Amino acid sequence: METQSYTPVPPGVGMEENFLSLDDILLSQERLPCQTETCFLRLGFVEKSSETPDIAEGTKMELPLWLAKGLYERKRRVLSVELPKVYRDGWRTVFGADPNVVDLHKMGPYYYGLGSQLLHFENPENSEIAQTVLRTFIGRFRRTMDSSQNVLNEDTSVLVERLDCLEKALFRAGQSGLNSFQCWEMGRASHLTASSLVLNYRKRKIAEVQE
Amino acid sequence: MDPSEVEFVAEKEMVTVIPNFSLDRIYLIGSATCRTNVPHMYRSADGYLCVQGDLGPFNPGLPVNVPVWLALNLKQRQKCRIVPPEWMDVEKLEEIREQERKEDMFTPMPSPHYMELTKLLLNHASDNIPRADEIRTLVKDIWDTRVAKLRLSADSFVTQQEAHAKLDNLTLMEINTSRMFLLESLNCMYKLRTNLQHHGGTAKGQEY
């Protein structure tokens, strides 16, 4: 069994993010195209391409998700968020046709996470986005399952490179189940091996110290 | 769960051995929740009142039922000969394999721990079991067929977004191999589905 020096917090898939999850923290760094609805006084220096001291109304900017979520408020109309390319109608048709062809890692490694977070911003296409995200997951499930359960001791990088981060976590779970079964079947489970924690500390063995 | 833990649970199954030593009845702690057909207390054929944890008496040359963990221990100390269970036979396993391949559902297995018992008995007592290699191959074929069926049913479960599924006659080892993957993907699917509920149909307030 693999032991880790801490218990990693899993990402909150869906509309809630887990505060302590590293995957969610990295997800919130993804940029969204936004348009300001009011004037941001004396913040012109933040945006490098503007010469005015204020950010005028209607400027298009790319803001990270954490900033957009914080500033977004329906009543005060501070910000309006547009959909990134991958979630728009054109790409939605592609996903509907065949989700397996798409390289989800290139399309933003957090396709499912970002798709769920976009639902926070009131947008008329939200229900279609939610449907597409769900259908893409279901469509790609078979391939992820087959590839994770059938590969043994081979280089998995070709299979993994087209997967989104969520699917990569599932792939690893499948692989670990398979590997521990194979290890048991070959009798290696009863061999004592050094724990990964101890190896990570890089304790010097006695023979090395004495030399 | 670790496969080694599943193997530990499997070692509670009973198997017949022929000892080469003699020993009186030994009294171990028995469990009333044992999955054998024997009731907790019963009267044996020679008239003794037996409790489930009791083993023996051991007489050389006479077969006796013991749990697998004890059988392996005795075998390693060369104190017994293990009699293979009646299902561990080439013709029987071939029949089971053919039936498994024909059916879409899972067929009942001769033992709920067939995989673990095969591995344990064939590793430690292959000299007592005739045609051990063929048996190993047959059991592996049966395993592969069942795991493939499990994956198919998991795939149809996810694709049709069912709420629950019922699978009969699965053994613990098969469940254990696919547990982590299936649970995680079903969790993800559930969370993506609750997104739909917030924004799919009528606009609902936030649910807590």
Side-chain angles (χ1 to χ4, degrees):
Chain A
M1 283 202 284
E2 286 183 26
T3 47
Q4 291 182 302
S5 45
Y6 73 106
T7 315
V9 177
V13 183
M15 290 189 57
E16 292 305 314
E17 291 181 332
N18 280 343
F19 186 73
L20 294 173
S21 157
L22 288 177
D23 275 325
D24 278 343
I25 294 172
L26 291 174
L27 159 67
S28 59
Q29 191 53 26
E30 293 284 322
R31 294 189 174 253
L32 298 172
C34 306
Q35 190 174 7
T36 58
E37 301 276 330
T38 72
C39 185
F40 294 169
L41 293 172
R42 290 199 281 271
L43 283 179
F45 65 95
V46 172
E47 203 195 353
K48 296 187 182 74
S49 58
S50 75
E51 296 96 19
T52 59
D54 314 327
I55 301 183
E57 207 176 302
T59 326
K60 286 190 192 277
M61 291 197 293
E62 293 237 327
L63 293 180
L65 177 70
W66 53 272
L67 192 54
K69 258 173 90 168
L71 289 176
Y72 183 81
E73 222 180 307
R74 193 161 45 118
K75 284 182 253 179
R76 282 180 57 183
R77 297 197 61 218
V78 180
L79 212 62
S80 77
V81 178
E82 287 159 15
L83 298 176
K85 242 190 343 172
V86 207
Y87 303 96
R88 284 201 208 139
D89 206 24
W91 273 101
R92 287 210 298 267
T93 342
V94 174
F95 283 119
D98 185 4
N100 278 311
V101 268
V102 188
D103 184 347
L104 272 191
H105 190 75
K106 208 170 51 145
M107 293 292 132
Y110 295 101
Y111 174 73
Y112 299 108
L114 193 57
S116 311
Q117 293 302 315
L118 279 180
L119 304 174
H120 279 292
F121 307 114
E122 311 278 330
N123 200 301
E125 298 176 43
N126 270 351
S127 60
E128 277 109 50
I129 297 175
Q131 292 263 5
T132 312
V133 167
L134 181 61
R135 286 211 198 100
T136 315
F137 181 79
I138 291 174
R140 291 169 69 99
F141 171 77
R142 182 71 200 256
R143 188 171 278 198
T144 319
M145 176 168 72
D146 285 343
S147 57
S148 78
Q149 298 274 322
N150 280 326
V151 177
L152 197 62
N153 291 337
E154 287 163 23
D155 190 13
T156 56
S157 56
V158 176
L159 297 161
V160 173
E161 65 187 0
R162 297 172 69 96
L163 298 180
D164 169 271
C165 279
L166 184 70
E167 290 167 344
K168 275 193 195 131
L170 291 181
F171 183 86
R172 275 194 296 267
Q175 282 268 286
S176 80
L178 182 71
N179 282 339
S180 58
F181 174 73
Q182 290 290 345
C183 186
W184 168 79
E185 208 190 357
M186 286 194 263
R188 269 191 271 133
S190 50
H191 287 178
L192 296 174
T193 51
S195 151
S196 57
L197 284 176
V198 171
L199 290 175
N200 285 342
Y201 295 156
R202 287 196 221 128
K203 284 189 121 103
R204 291 172 300 172
K205 297 183 191 158
I206 295 183
E208 286 174 7
V209 174
Q210 278 173 356
E211 275 165 21
Chain B
M1 222 175 160
D2 217 29
S4 323
E5 290 170 5
V6 179
E7 184 186 56
F8 182 74
V9 172
E11 284 177 348
K12 237 168 50 158
E13 297 285 313
M14 302 297 266
V15 76
T16 314
V17 295
I18 300 181
N20 58 17
F21 61 98
S22 69
L23 187 60
D24 284 336
R25 190 181 296 272
I26 52 178
Y27 304 97
L28 303 177
I29 301 173
S31 157
T33 58
C34 239
R35 250 204 297 174
T36 57
N37 290 331
V38 175
H40 187 61
M41 278 179 81
Y42 63 101
R43 200 164 282 281
S44 71
D46 44 358
Y48 287 101
L49 190 64
C50 311
V51 181
Q52 200 145 45
D54 294 354
L55 297 175
F58 296 88
N59 293 313
L62 293 181
V64 61
N65 273 347
V66 293
V68 169
W69 55 267
L70 186 61
L72 294 179
N73 186 290
L74 292 176
K75 176 75 186 173
Q76 281 172 336
R77 297 191 295 178
Q78 296 173 331
K79 284 180 176 292
C80 76
R81 182 166 76 83
I82 295 189
V83 173
E86 36 176 38
W87 53 265
M88 206 176 268
D89 166 62
V90 174
E91 278 85 26
K92 265 233 157 149
L93 287 175
E94 275 175 355
E95 258 180 59
I96 295 176
R97 180 182 66 172
E98 290 317 309
Q99 207 191 2
E100 192 69 49
R101 282 182 180 166
K102 271 190 315 190
E103 300 273 327
D104 283 338
M105 296 281 113
F106 294 95
T107 57
M109 280 285 112
S111 159
H113 294 105
Y114 71 96
M115 192 69 193
E116 302 89 294
L117 287 182
T118 314
K119 182 207 166 212
L120 285 169
L121 295 180
L122 288 179
N123 280 352
H124 295 265
S126 54
D127 49 340
N128 294 147
I129 301 177
R131 297 163 86 179
D133 287 334
E134 292 177 38
I135 290 182
R136 215 188 283 260
T137 324
L138 283 169
V139 169
K140 190 81 174 65
D141 285 343
I142 296 174
W143 167 272
D144 287 336
T145 316
R146 289 171 69 91
V147 165
K149 277 193 214 172
L150 179 60
R151 282 194 222 148
L152 248 168
S153 88
D155 182 49
S156 70
F157 182 26
V158 167
T159 317
Q160 292 163 24
Q161 298 184 50
E162 306 269 332
H164 78 287
K166 183 177 167 201
L167 295 170
D168 292 329
N169 300 324
L170 265 185
T171 63
L172 183 58
M173 193 51 131
E174 289 150 3
I175 299 173
N176 189 54
T177 319
S178 44
R179 178 178 303 159
M180 285 322 301
F181 181 81
L182 202 57
L183 281 184
E184 297 248 354
S185 26
L186 290 176
N187 275 344
C188 291
M189 198 176 82
Y190 170 73
K191 288 192 183 140
L192 293 178
R193 265 167 73 168
T194 49
N195 285 350
L196 270 185
Q197 279 178 355
H198 278 187
H199 292 271
T202 54
K204 279 185 188 178
Q206 276 209 317
E207 300 167 18
Y208 283 94

